Amino acid sequence: MENQTQNAFRALADPTRRDIVQLLAGQEMTIGQLTDRFDMTRAAVKKHLTVLSDGGLISVEVRGRERINRLEPLGMAPVLDWLSYFDQFWDDRLNSLKEAIERKQND
Amino acid sequence: MENQTQNAFRALADPTRRDIVQLLAGQEMTIGQLTDRFDMTRAAVKKHLTVLSDGGLISVEVRGRERINRLEPLGMAPVLDWLSYFDQFWDDRLNSLKEAIERKQND
DNA sequence: TTAATATAACACCAAATGGTATCTCATCTG
DNA sequence: CAGATGAGATACCATTTGGTGTTATATTAA
């Protein structure tokens, strides 16, 4: 896949996929193990894993007849980069907001 | 809308909407002004703005016959919160990676 | 070879996206 | 004020994309 920012954001847009990311943050898992955690067929889980893989968020290691899925820390970089563009903005605005609230409370 | 995390991630999943967010980080704009920046009808832009609004990422102020759209700093919070859950993970893994690379270079 | 697992190939339905056409108002002009 | 114009909202439609499922076919450990 070519546009990593788009693929990563797309991958994170689905709640099942965000859950998978959280599970994999705890420990690497096979498709079968993941399927046990969801009310969904193995094939459906596999498709979510493919989207996550396209987004660079996970990597897969073939071990015997199993596929070990694990989180790929580098994959989140495009997302964090995009968001960091606004760090200053959010920071400034949230500070203004906080100050406004404090002013109000002191009235 | 009830699930702000989902709505915010969904809002950011579309490249046009991420572009709108970037434009609005620079300055607040009306729908018409935004439409000038995209190869798309006003109605289509409006729909993206509705999704962004559902995600809590923008707020709209009615001014005469215009609608001023501006970025809502609090809206990004659910996204940043979700991502911050992994801060330690990404940090640890990226550090291990960096160290591994450094070890390799010193061979 | 058999059981467990993984993947590929379809197919189906719902949601997302974008267009056109038609309204509603606010504002401007005479 | 009346009518024209401009910004936006909304309803409706077509097309595309996404999520899920089923079935069939690999792969591999035991």
Side-chain angles (χ1 to χ4, degrees):
Chain A
M1 292 293 138
E2 51 180 29
N3 186 339
Q4 284 309 84
T5 301
Q6 174 55 21
N7 287 333
F9 270 107
R10 178 169 100 79
L12 293 177
D14 182 271
T16 299
R17 288 194 290 266
R18 287 199 304 281
D19 288 345
I20 290 175
V21 167
Q22 288 201 311
L23 285 171
L24 293 181
Q27 57 169 12
E28 53 190 42
M29 297 172 85
T30 64
I31 298 184
Q33 288 174 312
L34 282 168
T35 302
D36 291 343
R37 304 300 200 95
F38 296 95
D39 186 21
M40 196 180 296
T41 64
R42 186 162 43 215
V45 171
K46 173 63 172 79
K47 285 177 196 179
H48 283 302
L49 289 171
T50 300
V51 175
L52 286 167
S53 176
D54 288 348
L57 297 176
I58 64 169
S59 59
V60 184
E61 179 197 338
V62 177
R63 191 144 75 205
R65 63 183 171 185
E66 294 182 330
R67 304 286 185 285
I68 313 296
N69 299 279
R70 62 170 58 101
L71 229 49
E72 191 56 60
L74 278 176
M76 199 64 88
V79 174
L80 299 177
D81 280 355
W82 191 88
L83 289 169
S84 73
Y85 180 89
F86 300 101
D87 278 355
Q88 195 57 47
F89 178 88
W90 308 123
D91 222 49
D92 291 351
R93 294 303 191 290
L94 286 173
N95 273 331
S96 313
L97 196 62
K98 209 180 71 183
E99 283 161 19
I101 290 169
E102 281 163 1
R103 269 198 304 279
K104 209 163 215 169
Q105 289 177 331
N106 294 335
D107 278 352
Chain B
M1 292 296 137
E2 51 180 28
N3 186 339
Q4 284 309 82
T5 301
Q6 175 54 23
N7 287 333
F9 269 107
R10 178 170 99 80
L12 292 176
D14 182 273
T16 298
R17 288 195 290 266
R18 288 198 304 279
D19 288 347
I20 290 176
V21 167
Q22 289 201 311
L23 285 170
L24 292 181
Q27 57 170 8
E28 54 189 41
M29 297 172 84
T30 64
I31 298 184
Q33 288 173 314
L34 281 167
T35 302
D36 291 342
R37 305 299 200 95
F38 295 96
D39 185 22
M40 198 180 293
T41 64
R42 187 166 41 214
V45 170
K46 173 64 172 76
K47 284 178 197 178
H48 284 302
L49 289 171
T50 299
V51 176
L52 286 168
S53 175
D54 288 347
L57 297 175
I58 65 168
S59 59
V60 184
E61 180 196 338
V62 177
R63 193 144 74 206
R65 63 184 167 185
E66 294 182 330
R67 303 289 184 280
I68 314 296
N69 299 278
R70 62 170 60 101
L71 228 47
E72 193 53 62
L74 278 177
M76 197 64 87
V79 173
L80 299 178
D81 280 354
W82 192 88
L83 289 169
S84 73
Y85 181 88
F86 301 101
D87 277 355
Q88 196 56 48
F89 179 88
W90 308 122
D91 223 49
D92 291 351
R93 295 303 191 289
L94 287 172
N95 273 332
S96 314
L97 198 61
K98 209 180 73 183
E99 282 162 19
I101 290 168
E102 282 163 1
R103 270 197 303 279
K104 210 164 214 166
Q105 289 175 332
N106 293 334
D107 278 351

